[in-house]
Amino acid sequence: MNATLLKIGANAMAGALVLLAVAGCTPTEEKKEAGAAPQSALQNVLQRGTLRVGDCLSFAPFGFYDKDGNPDGYDVDLAKALAKEMGVKLEMVNTTSANRIPNLQTNKVDVVFCNFTRNLERAKEIGFTQPYVVASEAMLVRKNSGIQSAHDMAGKTIATVKGSTNGDEVRNLGIDVKIQEYDSSQAAILAVKQGQADAMIEDNNFLAYQASLDASLAVTNEALVPLEYNAFGVKQGDQIWTNYLNEFLFEINASGENARLYQKWFGSKPRYPLNPQY
């Protein structure tokens, strides 16, 4: 009888240990689930069925509204190609230089194009893909201004777009200039046309296009900064989405489609190679 009681007690103890083990592991598993990594934007886009691309739609020919009020331009064509490849609808979200990073951080967009130059300072806050277009910087001036280069800008005013660092490039040359910020590229160009600013400093691809639209404007023949590698901006830490976008860029570059779109919008072949030469 004592042996029987001992066996029953042992079984009861074993059962209690099992219950304690189960009870003890449940909170741990729930905690793990609660602390799981957020879902990638890639899965979000596919589940939502819509790709939200932030683009500066006041930055022709990269992005602008056509006569019917629809988004158009080089970046928009790339966004259309990406949405088509993913099998989803496209939503273009008009973006400014100043809110490119906040819109990514607050999930208002899935990716930002918008003439986004890769650099270490921005990489502290967001991630970047491989580059899709390369540029330098020059100045847009009135043809009768007498301005030939940045060295003619001492004591003059440069128009820049809020959120950009373009004006700093001239200051870094040791030239004393006044920086006047505007909400959009079009506002900065208008300031140059109306004499409110002496020059606008920006991407040479963009400026060449603007000068082609107005015979009173010219672009200085200089490279104010080292080459700038423009890429897609993504939310920091989303490597899955970054990998997918890099693969998209690899394929659209290898097929020649990106070069074709550049030719369509800028009227020439890309001036610089996409990868730096070491």
Side-chain angles (χ1 to χ4, degrees):
M1 184 175 178
N2 289 339
T4 302
L5 287 174
L6 287 172
K7 184 175 181 181
I8 292 173
N11 290 339
M13 181 65 73
L17 289 173
V18 171
L19 289 173
L20 285 171
V22 171
C25 73
T26 301
T28 304
E29 291 173 353
E30 289 176 353
K31 185 177 181 180
K32 183 178 179 180
E33 292 175 1
Q39 184 168 263
S40 170
L42 175 60
Q43 281 74 42
N44 290 336
V45 170
L46 295 174
Q47 290 173 5
R48 188 191 312 127
T50 302
L51 171 67
R52 303 168 305 172
V53 175
D55 189 46
C56 299
L57 295 174
S58 60
F59 199 64
F62 287 90
F64 61 95
Y65 290 104
D66 65 17
K67 58 183 177 60
D68 297 319
N70 298 313
D72 203 1
Y74 174 57
D75 282 348
V76 178
D77 277 354
L78 286 171
K80 288 177 179 177
L82 176 58
K84 181 179 179 181
E85 188 66 38
M86 298 182 74
V88 298
K89 295 178 181 179
L90 174 63
E91 177 185 347
M92 297 299 300
V93 180
N94 195 9
T95 303
T96 65
S97 293
N99 65 23
R100 289 176 296 190
I101 290 177
N103 282 354
L104 278 172
Q105 293 174 328
T106 56
N107 296 315
K108 291 182 179 178
V109 296
D110 303 302
V111 59
V112 169
F113 294 5
C114 196
N115 204 45
F116 226 168
T117 302
R118 292 165 48 130
N119 63 42
L120 288 173
E121 191 62 30
R122 288 171 176 161
K124 295 175 183 177
E125 301 183 80
I126 62 169
F128 286 105
T129 64
Q130 295 299 313
Y132 71 99
V133 66
V134 184
S136 184
E137 285 188 4
M139 295 191 307
L140 184 72
V141 299
R142 296 182 300 281
K143 279 186 177 178
N144 61 2
S145 68
I147 298 172
Q148 301 294 323
S149 76
H151 296 285
D152 298 320
M153 288 298 297
K156 293 183 169 59
T157 301
I158 290 181
T160 65
V161 179
K162 290 179 181 177
S164 76
T165 59
N166 294 336
D168 294 335
E169 306 303 338
V170 177
R171 282 179 172 161
N172 290 340
L173 294 175
I175 301 170
D176 181 23
V177 296
K178 178 182 177 182
I179 307 298
Q180 182 64 49
E181 293 188 327
Y182 293 87
D183 289 328
S184 69
S185 299
Q186 293 306 314
I189 293 168
L190 184 61
V192 174
K193 290 181 180 180
Q194 295 179 343
Q196 297 170 1
D198 298 292
M200 176 192 183
I201 180 172
E202 206 20 291
D203 177 315
N204 71 302
N205 295 319
F206 169 74
L207 294 184
Y209 175 79
Q210 295 300 323
S212 72
L213 302 177
D214 191 325
S216 70
L217 300 175
V219 181
T220 57
N221 186 25
E222 59 189 332
L224 294 174
V225 297
L227 294 182
E228 297 178 327
Y229 294 85
N230 295 341
F232 298 168
V234 298
K235 194 170 184 180
Q236 194 175 59
D238 194 344
Q239 193 60 49
I240 294 174
W241 184 219
T242 304
N243 291 346
Y244 182 89
L245 293 172
N246 278 333
E247 182 60 28
F248 166 76
L249 287 173
F250 172 81
E251 294 188 10
I252 203 171
N253 287 324
S255 69
E257 179 64 9
N258 190 11
R260 186 191 71 78
L261 292 176
Y262 186 95
Q263 177 87 37
K264 170 186 173 181
W265 288 107
F266 296 97
S268 64
K269 294 180 179 180
R271 183 175 179 181
Y272 305 110
L274 286 174
N275 295 309
Q277 305 300 303
Y278 300 108

